[in-house]
Structure formats: C-alpha cells, structure tokens
Amino acid sequence: MKIVFLGSGNVATHLSIALQTIGEEIRQVWSPNLKNAETLASKLKAQPINEYNQIILDADLYIIAVKDDAIANVASYLKAVSGLVVHISGATTIDALESNNRIGVLYPLQTFSKTKEVSFKNIPLCIEAKSASDLSILQDLANRLSEKVYLLNGEQREVLHVAAVFACNFTNHMYSLANQILTKSNLDFDIIRPLIAETADKVQENLPENVQTGPAVRNDVNTMDKHLKWLKTMPQLVEIYQTLSNSIINNNK
Amino acid sequence: MKIVFLGSGNVATHLSIALQTIGEEIRQVWSPNLKNAETLASKLKAQPINEYNQIILDADLYIIAVKDDAIANVASYLKAVSGLVVHISGATTIDALESNNRIGVLYPLQTFSKTKEVSFKNIPLCIEAKSASDLSILQDLANRLSEKVYLLNGEQREVLHVAAVFACNFTNHMYSLANQILTKSNLDFDIIRPLIAETADKVQENLPENVQTGPAVRNDVNTMDKHLKWLKTMPQLVEIYQTLSNSIINNNK
C-alpha cells in the first residue's frame, strides 16, 4: 500500500516505522512544521511536506496522527482523496473524519516514548471502519502488524481510553508519588523498581482484584495510621492515601 | 547455618525455599497451626512444630515471619536462644524484638503470591542489626540471596513501606478500577495487559515524572470532561479520577 502520514509525533514515528518494516511504502510525511516532517521522512525515505496542496491524491491510506483536537481540521483537507482516511485516536469518534471519504480508525493501545523501542506484535490494535470492505482492509493490515487486533466501535474505544488512564497514566503517577516519598528520605528510586515490575507482571496471569495486597485490603488500621502520620508533611499525598485506601476497603466489602 | 522459621505464610515459604536453595539448613518450621507448619516443613525436610517449647535453642538464625502485630509476642518466647533473631517486616521497628537477644531485620521488598515463583536474585533485601557483627552475618547471607542488598534503619524502612503502598498496592488498585470500567462494557482485561506491562517497563530505565502521559499532564480539559461524563455512573471513580488528575496537574505546575 502507498501510505501518507499526517503528523510526525511519537505514535506517527513508531507506527510508520512498523508499517515500513512489514513492507508498506510510506510516500509522504506531512507536518505543519517542515523540520519535524523531515526528521521522520528521512527515516522512511518518504517525501517531507508541510502544505496541504502537496499531498498526493492517489495513496491507498492516509493516516492522521495529530493531536485529537486537530484531527477534524486536517481531515477537512483530504476531501479530494480516494484512499482510506483513518485517525489513530482512542478518544475521538470516527465522525471527526469527513463523511464523504472512506473512513476508519486504527487505535494502538500503548504508551509510546520517543526513546524506547516497542514491538508492535504485542500491541492491541483497535480498528473500526464505515464500510465492511474498508474494515477488512484495515483488519488485514492490523493482523500483519500485531497479534492482538480488536474490532471496537467508538463507544467501546472511549471506554478503553478511560480504562487506560487508570491502568497507565494514574499508575505512572503512583510511581511518581512513590519517588517523591523516597526522595524526601534520600532513598533512590532504584530500590523500588523490582517491586513495580513484579506488580505489573502478577496481573499478566491474574486478575488484579485477586492479587491485591497491602494494609487497606487487610483493613490493617494500625499500619494505615502510621503511614498517614508519616505522610502528614505531604498533605496532597494524605488525601490520595485516604481516597485510595477507602476505595480498596469498599471494593472488598 | 541452622535456621528456624516462625511462620508459614507467603513470605516465609518463598524465603525459606530460597535459603535452602543456597545451601542453608532449615531445621524447624513453627506455626500456631500444625497443618500449616507441616505443609511448609515438608518442602524443606524440616521439623514441623506448633509449641514454643519445642523450638531448638541452638539454631544460628531465627526468622520471625508472622503478621506485624504478632511479632513481639512470638519474639517473647525466644528469650532463651543464643542465635540471631530477625523479623522480615517493612513496617515494624527492630524494637519489637527482645532487647536481650541478638536481633536484626531482613526485609524483602517484594509482593509475594502463593502461586507465582519469584527469583530472589532481583529482590531488594533491606537489612538492619543491633550489633556490627550480626549486621555482617546478615549482609553475607543477603548477598548470597540477592544482588540488591540495602542497609536501612527502621525509619528508612518505614518510608520505603509507605512508598511501596503507592508503587504496588495502589498501582494494583488502579488495575482493578480499569478492569471494573472494562467489565462494565463487556471488554476483557486482556486488552489492557500489554499497556500495563509497558507502563512498568518504561520506568525501569526512566524516572516516572519524565514519562508521564495522558490528558492530565497535557491539561487536556476536553478529554478529562468526556471521561468524567462517562464515569458519572461510577461515583467512586469520579472522585478518584479528579483527585489524581489534580495531583498530576499540580505536579507539573
């Protein structure tokens, strides 16, 4: 397939490289910032562009990988293309795209960083398309990228996005708060890294509600009181400690 | 070393087997419940006992691996022994042990489940002892069990225990809440497991504050409003969503 990428951020970078690796041809990388387009395009031997009127009209697939609130605007410049137009956002419905285009969604459920390689084989790809034939095109493509392909509608994708905030964004914040506590006592974050790895590893085979540990699930009031006393110099953490402990206690009633 | 275990729970099981694997001799397993003592002792070819007066007096090391609030009571029955007496609790000071004994602490910072094997090589062991010579005995032993041995006093161990609640217990609860959200929409927890694994993997090389992602850190009010609207049928989760999002926003000010 001939593919045009619109956007050059983290997800665009990882996804375009993965697509090239499985033999697809990335023809152009568009970005409002030409330097950014060039950086990604050079890795793909694609043409970097920063004007909408430079976009080729005969690509098979246009992948819009820009910020959620910019998707509709970028899509509005693709009215003349005949290829399939998709966005890659978890939080955006398919309707953000132009209803006269062939449209779809290809949402990779993963957290991407600039520096860290991730293998697409293990990344859940959530796909949706307006027509059955386009869904089948996306499905073929997704199956070659990943072993985990899910057909989800916009509503399910939104739910998944909310769940991901808890499982990824809030979880990472828990790590940050742990680091704040350690730093305050001159302890290095390194001491807690194996615990973080094992906590995530445990739920790869189990459901989290079956492996909950700690003072809250035991309703061990003495230990919780001791912890709250120690935290009293960090008032923001006291509120979080109480809210989450109560939530664990309520879940076990 | 000749070792007596007092307690037969998760940590006692994993630790005693690890000690036997490196060539130490577990002589007895004491538990108030003889059946439990027998279950563990049979794995170690040790003697199962459930009376304090059956405890041998000439072991080199007595490891108290019972619930935090039972440590002092168990220790009070070991006044006559000449070996080193340690507990393995993160939240308990060394003073819970008898001041006339040779005493110490050996705290493995990890979450243990009955069914899942863990390698001690990668588990941080936090040690403390009243005398320098006993500290050196514990240090030698810990170094043979693990590559990560830390000398911490009781105060540092308490801090670490608070941090572990955030990094492990609260993190696992985030996974549970994500699962509640998914279940409500008939989505399987499996879809989010790769994201959980990658989120933990990312902070093995990075500090969490440098890899925070999601709507809160971008101050993306639209997305947060959408999520809160979706969550309104789960009021407990609304409070948690707001508290944690505010905390992320405050951290980035």
Side-chain angles (χ1 to χ4, degrees), chain A residues 6-7 64-74 89 92, chain B residues 218 220:
Chain A
L6 300 111
I64 302 179
V66 298
K67 280 185 187 160
D68 289 1
D69 53 13
I71 292 172
N73 184 48
V74 171
S89 161
T92 309
Chain B
R218 296 192 307 266
D220 176 351

Side-chain angles (χ1 to χ4, degrees), chain A residues 6-227:
Chain A
L6 300 111
S8 57
N10 270 346
V11 191
T13 302
H14 287 285
L15 179 58
S16 59
I17 291 170
L19 284 166
Q20 193 178 57
T21 306
I22 62 165
E24 303 300 339
E25 181 192 356
I26 318 297
R27 291 288 289 271
Q28 298 183 312
V29 175
W30 171 93
S31 165
N33 178 320
L34 189 60
K35 273 251 171 298
N36 291 346
E38 283 169 353
T39 303
L40 178 53
S42 70
K43 294 180 190 160
L44 303 163
K45 293 181 184 158
Q47 180 194 11
I49 55 175
N50 67 335
E51 300 284 349
Y52 288 112
N53 61 23
Q54 296 173 288
I55 298 171
I56 56 171
L57 300 177
D58 63 342
D60 301 299
L61 181 62
Y62 296 82
I63 299 181
I64 302 179
V66 298
K67 280 185 187 160
D68 289 1
D69 53 13
I71 292 172
N73 184 48
V74 171
S76 73
Y77 289 97
L78 297 174
K79 284 178 191 164
V81 309
S82 56
L84 177 57
V85 177
V86 303
H87 73 62
I88 59 163
S89 161
T92 309
T93 62
I94 196 171
D95 307 323
L97 304 173
E98 290 288 326
S99 60
N100 290 328
N101 280 124
R102 293 167 48 206
I103 56 177
V105 179
L106 175 70
Y107 169 49
L109 179 64
Q110 191 48 282
T111 172
F112 296 93
S113 9
K114 274 235 155 58
T115 52
K116 191 166 181 299
E117 288 288 319
V118 280
S119 158
F120 261 78
K121 275 277 160 269
N122 200 30
I123 296 179
L125 296 179
C126 308
I127 59 170
E128 179 185 9
K130 209 169 57 175
S131 81
S133 57
D134 286 337
L135 186 63
S136 141
I137 291 173
L138 273 184
Q139 197 165 5
D140 287 349
L141 186 69
N143 279 330
R144 289 168 49 228
L145 279 172
S146 167
E147 288 162 7
K148 299 175 183 193
V149 178
Y150 295 85
L151 275 60
L152 299 189
N153 61 34
E155 210 175 304
Q156 292 172 307
R157 209 166 50 243
E158 193 187 354
V159 171
L160 190 54
H161 197 249
V162 180
V165 168
F166 283 84
C168 169
N169 308 148
F170 289 167
T171 287
N172 187 74
H173 188 52
M174 293 301 118
Y175 305 158
S176 279
L177 297 178
N179 193 25
Q180 284 176 26
I181 293 166
L182 294 172
T183 304
K184 205 157 176 268
S185 296
N186 291 317
L187 289 168
D188 197 276
F189 187 65
D190 214 35
I191 197 171
I192 213 155
R193 283 187 163 120
L195 179 64
I196 286 173
E198 176 68 15
T199 302
D201 207 42
K202 246 171 143 170
V203 297
Q204 298 302 314
E205 302 288 331
N206 299 284
L207 286 177
E209 49 272 32
N210 297 337
V211 292
Q212 183 69 51
T213 54
V217 74
R218 297 193 306 267
N219 211 349
D220 175 351
V221 180
N222 281 342
T223 301
M224 288 190 277
D225 280 351
K226 263 203 255 182
H227 287 175

